[in-house]
Amino acid sequence: MDDRRDKTRDIAIAQYASSWNDYYEWEPTYCAEIISSLRVSDTPGRSSDAMDIDAPAATLDATVDGRHALLPTTSSDTQDTVTVYHNLDSPDDMRVTELTYEDIDLSNMTPLAPYPPYESCTPVSRNILHGDDPNSMAFLPLADDPDFDKEFYLSTHKSLAWQEPYRDSDALEIVLETARRLHYEHGLSMEEIDETGVLPLTLCTRSVVGGAIAMGKTNDPIPWPGSSRTRYPPLPDLSPPEPHDLVSRVRDLVALWCPDPGCVQANCFTHVNGHVMPDYTAREPLQCLSPDESCGERCIVEHPNALEGEVKWSDADLDELRLLCYLSGPTQPCNLAKVSLKTCYEIAVICKRFAKSQNSEVSDTLETGSTALGCQCGMALPGRKKRNVVSACLTNLCPCRKARRECDPKLCSSCIPKCENTNLQRGLFKSTEVRESNHGMGLFLAEPVKRGQLVIEYLGELIYEPTVDSRSAVSACLKRSYIFDMLKSNSGKTCECVDGMYVGNPSRFINHSAKANVIVHIMSVGGDQRIGIYASELRSPLPSSKSFHFRALAKNMDAGTELLMDYGPDFPIGE
């Protein structure tokens, strides 16, 4: 075994050295040609035979862009004439144009006011999980601002970006060429090449960290004639699992989709760190339904008295059956036999060995009814007048709304589908527009809004405490902060925030006012914490003998109303 490993390593070293020498034999000449192509071409001399114009003598060493030359011909105090010679690199096909322009006195003109400074951000429709900024500092922001706390900002970083390892495109090209030669000419897999430890870069992707193959797909190809890129197929980043390895195939499939079962967003950036393998081993017992009819000679229907001792499976076979039962739920052994390539009666015997009574399973399921998690709100509560009829799910009468969670369509069957406490998950926001206000830029309604209704969601990057500290230093100097605290640890410290400075939506333009007309609530939506901005809500209902009526914190708002929020001393969020 050691001899084979040493031989593989020797082959890898030889191919790496060969690729290195071949590449750097070509690279200096290529770089010289690229640099030479950036030089401005020489302008040929002017041919008097090619120009049929009676122009004053002038030299052609004026400003040249390679195809045109501007030469002053005549000049006075009020006007100038400029002769433009076209196609200077082809004197035999010369064209001449004369342009005359006059001087304009600008001393009496009113100076143009500079456009007011503004900030822009990348628009998104959902929060993006950013985590933390790099520990290495790319540059010092606001370096010329005396109010910026440079020492504190430096203390939030561990190094400078130029101290980090450089991503050399030449080294990447050599590594990939070596891998192609080893894989297609010597039959080594990517894992075997990485195990040699010869190459300076890891080829395969590890967890969520991309290797050299993944990096090569994001780089523009270098036009190296000695590369075998065009002769061979692309390198495989990860070896596909064996056909019989169901667990590995399911693990790969899970990584392709958002791990949040309630998320249907393609290319989801909110739950990128949540890819986990289903805990299928914890789901007991293995549930199997009785077949309706025989599926063949080896069906459990044909062998009703099969003994458990006759069936002996390995641990890997049992794991695969558990995974199949987890993914499919209770089903007939005939169906499981087709997928697992086992016999029907064997599967039935194994399931029977681990099974409990079906009645206990049903009772356990029935104990977790919808009443514990969902609400039974009616569609509306009548007020004193017909125009005051409001949705019950906009008040604290709704246990979901009171617990600061949106209603679940699977559990809150009484108020679905017109429930207004599901607007965050359905993306039903009010139309708004950004325009100038008394406080710079502001956010205005473009349609009427009723009290308690969702107006917009506050969006941005989901960041952690270390990044909050470093970004707060910049925000304090700019006197603008877009950071909302969202999750706190048991000790009360902020552990996750939403920052709308670089990524967000128009909600970042909502201004502060002590007379706010919107309020912010952190709502639990399908397990995610999301920040909803609502029109000022209804107070708790006052019961009367015949109906419920309400006292409102604010009136309904018409289109054109500016949205105002009470930031508070530390940007508190309404409880």
Side-chain angles (χ1 to χ4, degrees), residues 11-20 171-186 188 190 193 196 198-200 203 224 227-228 235:
I11 295 175
I13 293 175
Q15 289 298 328
Y16 182 48
S18 176
S19 300
W20 179 285
L172 178 63
E173 182 68 22
I174 295 172
V175 166
L176 293 178
E177 177 59 25
T178 304
R180 279 189 290 267
R181 297 181 182 183
L182 291 173
H183 180 64
Y184 292 109
E185 298 176 7
H186 296 274
L188 299 180
M190 300 299 104
I193 299 174
T196 63
V198 173
L199 301 181
L203 294 173
W224 175 27
S227 173
S228 59
L235 291 171

Side-chain angles (χ1 to χ4, degrees), residues 47-124:
S47 172
S48 57
D49 297 336
M51 292 182 294
D52 186 14
I53 184 172
D54 186 12
T59 60
L60 286 178
D61 55 356
T63 303
V64 177
D65 66 0
R67 296 187 62 80
H68 309 284
L70 304 180
L71 299 177
T73 305
T74 61
S75 178
S76 66
D77 294 337
T78 60
Q79 69 177 24
D80 289 315
T81 301
V82 174
T83 302
V84 182
Y85 296 98
H86 302 267
N87 295 329
L88 292 180
D89 53 350
S90 180
D92 296 334
D93 187 20
M94 183 71 69
R95 293 183 295 109
V96 180
T97 302
E98 287 191 357
L99 302 176
T100 302
Y101 61 92
E102 296 183 357
D103 294 335
I104 300 176
D105 185 10
L106 301 179
S107 59
N108 296 326
M109 291 189 63
T110 303
L112 298 176
Y115 194 84
Y118 68 94
E119 293 178 352
S120 63
C121 69
T122 302
V124 292

